[in-house]
Amino acid sequence: MNIFPQAKSLKEILEFIEEHRFSFVYISRENCSVCHSVQPQVQEILKEFPTIHPIQVSADDVPEVAGQFTVFTVPALLLFVEGKETIREARFVVMDDLHDKFTRVVENH
């Protein structure tokens, strides 16, 4: 089940990143099986990090998102801290590593 709010425009994503100290952008595509299998795992990890605010965008619906964030493959997982990209993962994500990275970032900011 998808619990991430859905972005409908690049402007919405950029405003979201600006509004939140920790913002997590999940970029996917409709026909991406990896995207659909990774997402519930990421959602589960994010339950432990209530200060990280997630948003999802489909590169099918908002194609300019790929160019804005230089995304070549999906899913792309981007964590921004105070508007600056701090973590980038793509395609095959090791969840334990992602959890450790989130922990380090949240504890150090």
Side-chain angles (χ1 to χ4, degrees):
M1 184 176 90
N2 180 6
I3 59 169
F4 292 158
Q6 301 297 300
K8 299 295 182 210
S9 71
L10 182 58
K11 180 178 186 250
E12 183 181 351
I13 297 163
L14 296 173
E15 288 173 355
F16 182 86
I17 292 169
E18 195 175 297
E19 289 170 8
H20 298 94
R21 182 169 183 214
F22 296 107
S23 52
F24 176 77
V25 179
Y26 189 88
I27 303 170
S28 62
R29 286 192 178 275
E30 299 303 321
N31 294 326
C32 168
S33 59
V34 176
C35 299
H36 297 298
S37 65
V38 167
Q39 186 176 9
Q41 298 173 66
V42 174
Q43 288 177 172
E44 197 60 35
I45 289 173
L46 284 174
K47 288 179 182 177
E48 295 181 42
F49 301 95
T51 58
I52 298 176
H53 300 272
I55 195 166
Q56 179 176 0
V57 61
S58 169
D60 294 323
D61 297 337
V62 187
E64 61 270 25
V65 75
Q68 175 71 33
F69 297 111
T70 319
V71 170
F72 298 105
T73 186
V74 289
L77 292 64
L78 310 176
L79 180 69
F80 294 84
V81 178
E82 297 175 352
K84 182 178 185 293
E85 183 181 318
T86 306
I87 295 174
R88 174 182 288 248
E89 296 288 333
R91 196 72 180 150
F92 299 105
V93 181
V94 178
M95 291 302 146
D96 288 341
D97 291 348
L98 184 63
H99 184 278
D100 292 345
K101 288 176 182 180
F102 283 173
T103 301
R104 282 193 300 273
V105 167
V106 168
E107 287 176 354
N108 292 320
H109 287 90

